[in-house]
Amino acid sequence: MPDDGHSRRRVMPFGVPDIDSQLTDGGLRLDALHEVAAATPSLRDDAAATLFVAGVAARAWGPILWVVRRRDLFAPALAQSGLTAKRVIHAEADDDAGVLALMEEGLRHPALGAVIGEVRRASPAATKRVQQAAARGRTVALLLKRPARGSGDPLAVSSSAATRWRIGSVPMVGTARPRWEVTLARQSDGAPFAATAIACDDTGRLAPVVTRREQRRAVSEILRVTPTAEEQAEAA
């Protein structure tokens, strides 16, 4: 069966060699909890972290459960990262404990492709329960750690998450797709790393950053192998 990006599989590669080659499993495990935080409390970085999560969920199969404490998700932006409104089931909780409890409940339903929760704080015990719930199936759990006032680093508290990410925006000039600084702060059985990637497209996929030298090399290679008009006429 062709890979349409919404199949049940154990690992989801990002398609960016600088990231996949440094991940222990070659991509994100879909039977695990993954934490994502903004690199800084700025709105730009917070949006980048949210869209990074949306891109991952977009490439999971089926409906997505997104649990929030406040109704600030902007559907058109999520759609630009591949996650259309018709796939998202919204749930609202009163506090962080409620978000985590709804995530656990959602992960028990095999019909969901991903379960996302937004919290400011999560205890090690709570993340362990969510990780255990995710490990029972192939519904990826994504915990978006929102910055809490005066709390410092959102990833300071230990966690049972398989990976922990920081996403920051890279200043750019022009109208090209944004670039993100993607930092893996922790992974199970692997080393941390940082890489720059082009932000998610409307299929939820990141793209590698191509340097001008690489672009010129690719163009030269195309021109070298592309037959001229005269050669095409002779071949016909």
Side-chain angles (χ1 to χ4, degrees), residues 2-207:
D3 180 8
D4 61 0
H6 299 87
S7 58
R8 290 273 191 178
R9 45 188 170 167
R10 193 180 75 85
V11 173
M12 178 193 293
F14 283 97
V16 178
D18 286 349
I19 298 177
D20 293 334
S21 64
Q22 299 185 80
L23 284 168
T24 303
D25 297 296
L28 279 187
R29 281 175 43 203
L30 297 186
D31 57 349
L33 167 65
H34 305 279
E35 285 188 1
V36 180
T40 73
S42 72
L43 291 176
R44 186 182 296 270
D45 286 352
D46 189 56
T50 301
L51 297 179
F52 176 85
V53 167
V56 173
R59 294 190 298 120
W61 86 288
I64 308 301
L65 174 64
W66 198 312
V67 189
V68 300
R69 287 185 56 187
R70 59 184 185 183
R71 303 178 186 180
D72 62 350
L73 289 175
F74 187 53
L78 300 185
Q80 289 179 358
S81 290
L83 189 57
T84 57
K86 65 182 180 181
R87 292 186 59 200
V88 181
I89 302 169
H90 296 278
E92 189 172 356
D94 293 330
D95 52 25
D96 290 340
V99 172
L100 293 161
L102 285 172
M103 288 184 70
E104 283 186 68
E105 182 64 28
L107 289 166
R108 296 190 181 99
H109 294 270
L112 295 174
V115 172
I116 302 169
E118 298 184 20
V119 299
R120 295 190 182 278
R121 296 178 180 85
S123 68
T127 59
K128 183 176 182 179
R129 290 194 299 270
V130 175
Q131 166 59 32
Q132 290 173 337
R136 300 188 186 103
R138 294 288 172 84
T139 300
V140 64
L142 302 165
L143 188 61
L144 183 58
K145 301 293 287 292
R146 308 298 294 266
R149 184 175 300 174
S151 66
D153 183 2
L155 302 184
V157 178
S158 62
S159 169
S160 294
T163 64
R164 308 185 81 188
W165 303 81
R166 299 182 199 277
I167 310 298
S169 58
V170 177
M172 290 184 63
V173 177
T175 58
R177 272 169 56 197
R179 294 185 183 185
W180 293 339
E181 186 70 22
V182 179
T183 301
L184 182 64
R186 177 189 173 277
Q187 65 173 321
S188 303
D189 303 320
F193 64 85
T196 302
I198 298 174
C200 298
D201 63 12
D202 58 5
T203 67
R205 287 171 170 78
L206 298 174

Side-chain angles (χ1 to χ4, degrees), residues 226-236:
T226 302
T228 64
E230 292 179 356
E231 291 172 335
Q232 291 177 346
E234 290 178 1

